[in-house]
Amino acid sequence: MRHIKAYNKEEYDTQNQSFIIEGPLTEKELEQFTYDDGLDAFRRPAEQFDALKEIAELEEGMIIIARLKDHILGYVTFHHPDPMERWSDGNLPYIMELGAVEVTLRYRGFGLGKQMLKHAMKDSFMENYIILTTEYYWHWDLKNSGLDVYEYKKLMIDFMASSGFEVFQTNDPEITGHPANTLMARIGKNITNDQMMEFDKLRFKNRFFF
C-alpha cells in the first residue's frame, strides 16, 4: 500500500491567539521554522526536532505541527510501529502508530493537541489504517498537570476519543504491567474483517486456547 500524504493547512483562533495547524510536512518544510525549547518530553529539544525531520522523510511518516508565526509549539507524529514492538509483526501495511503528541507547557490549555489530531484525521487516506497508540504513564507530565495517573489516564482517553480512538484490550506486558497503561486504536472505515482479525492476533499474541 503506497501511502499518500495530503498536505493541509488551517488557522485556529482561540484565546486571542491565532495559530497555524498544518501538515504533513517534509524535512525541508520543518527546517523553515524554529522549535520551542519546551518540547522536551522525549529527548532534548534539538534531538527531538531532528527526530521529527527523520520521521517526515519516511514513506509513511507524517508530522503535523501547531505553530505561532514561524515557531513550532506542538507536534503529532505518525509512522509504522517500531520493528522491536509486537505491533510490527508481519509488517502489516495498514497498521500505523500515533507515535507522540506534545505541546509546549506554556501553550497547553489552548486545545492545540486536539486540533492537530483532528487535522490529521481529515485526510481520507487515514481511513485505510488501524492507527494505534500505546499510552504509558511514565510518558505523562504528572508533575505539571497536578493529576494522578488515573486522572491523567481518563484525560488521555477522552482526548483520543475526540478523534475516534477507542480502548482495546491486549496481553502486551508493557500495557498490562500497570493498570494506568492503555492501548487505544482508531479503526479506519476501509478496514476489513480480515484486517481486524490480524490486529486481534497482535493484541493477544501467544494466547493459548483450552
Side-chain angles (χ1 to χ4, degrees):
M1 180 169 66
R2 180 177 179 272
H3 180 77
I4 300 173
K5 302 181 187 182
Y7 170 82
N8 194 18
K9 175 181 176 181
E10 58 187 300
E11 291 188 8
Y12 172 55
D13 298 323
T14 183
Q15 301 184 40
N16 298 317
Q17 297 272 21
S18 183
F19 301 95
I20 298 296
I21 310 294
E22 66 178 331
L25 298 178
T26 65
E27 178 181 6
K28 288 184 178 179
E29 289 167 338
L30 286 168
E31 288 175 344
Q32 301 176 66
F33 308 120
T34 55
Y35 186 81
D36 197 89
D37 286 343
L39 296 169
D40 60 357
F42 302 97
R43 299 175 181 85
R44 294 177 179 176
E47 295 173 354
Q48 183 61 25
F49 195 26
D50 285 342
L52 297 188
K53 289 182 279 188
E54 289 177 7
I55 293 170
E57 290 307 293
L58 296 174
E59 181 180 351
E60 84 289 354
M62 294 176 58
I63 304 295
I64 309 297
I65 65 166
R67 60 182 173 87
L68 190 58
K69 296 183 179 178
D70 292 333
H71 191 60
I72 297 173
L73 303 172
Y75 62 85
V76 178
T77 71
F78 297 91
H79 47 74
H80 285 318
D82 187 288
M84 299 300 292
E85 297 180 342
R86 70 161 62 191
W87 314 110
S88 68
D89 286 5
N91 294 315
L92 302 176
Y94 52 86
I95 299 291
M96 184 79 87
E97 184 170 8
L98 195 174
V101 180
E102 187 178 6
V103 175
T104 192
L105 179 60
R106 68 183 181 280
Y107 281 96
R108 294 176 193 171
F110 284 77
L112 296 177
K114 185 175 291 188
Q115 289 300 316
M116 288 188 291
L117 204 52
K118 287 183 176 180
H119 178 94
M121 299 311 158
K122 289 178 181 178
D123 182 352
S124 62
F125 200 80
M126 298 299 263
E127 301 301 334
N128 296 309
Y129 291 112
I130 296 173
I131 306 172
L132 61 89
T133 176
T134 48
E135 296 299 324
Y136 302 126
Y137 78 91
W138 52 80
H139 287 161
W140 299 340
D141 188 1
L142 300 175
K143 179 181 177 181
N144 287 306
S145 71
L147 303 176
D148 65 30
V149 289
Y150 301 106
E151 292 170 331
Y152 209 108
K153 175 180 180 176
K154 183 180 185 306
L155 177 74
M156 291 304 298
I157 288 175
D158 291 344
F159 168 68
M160 294 295 177
S162 70
S163 288
F165 286 79
E166 307 169 64
V167 174
F168 282 85
Q169 299 303 310
T170 180
N171 64 1
D172 181 1
E174 289 197 330
I175 297 292
T176 60
H178 192 283
N181 293 344
T182 310
L183 171 68
M184 298 188 73
R186 181 185 184 276
I187 310 302
K189 294 176 183 178
N190 300 330
I191 293 299
T192 66
N193 288 334
D194 287 345
Q195 289 171 331
M196 278 301 300
M197 289 179 64
E198 292 301 314
F199 179 50
D200 290 343
K201 290 177 183 177
L202 293 180
R203 291 195 294 125
F204 295 104
K205 188 177 176 183
N206 300 324
R207 181 171 60 178
F208 294 96
F209 296 90
F210 296 94

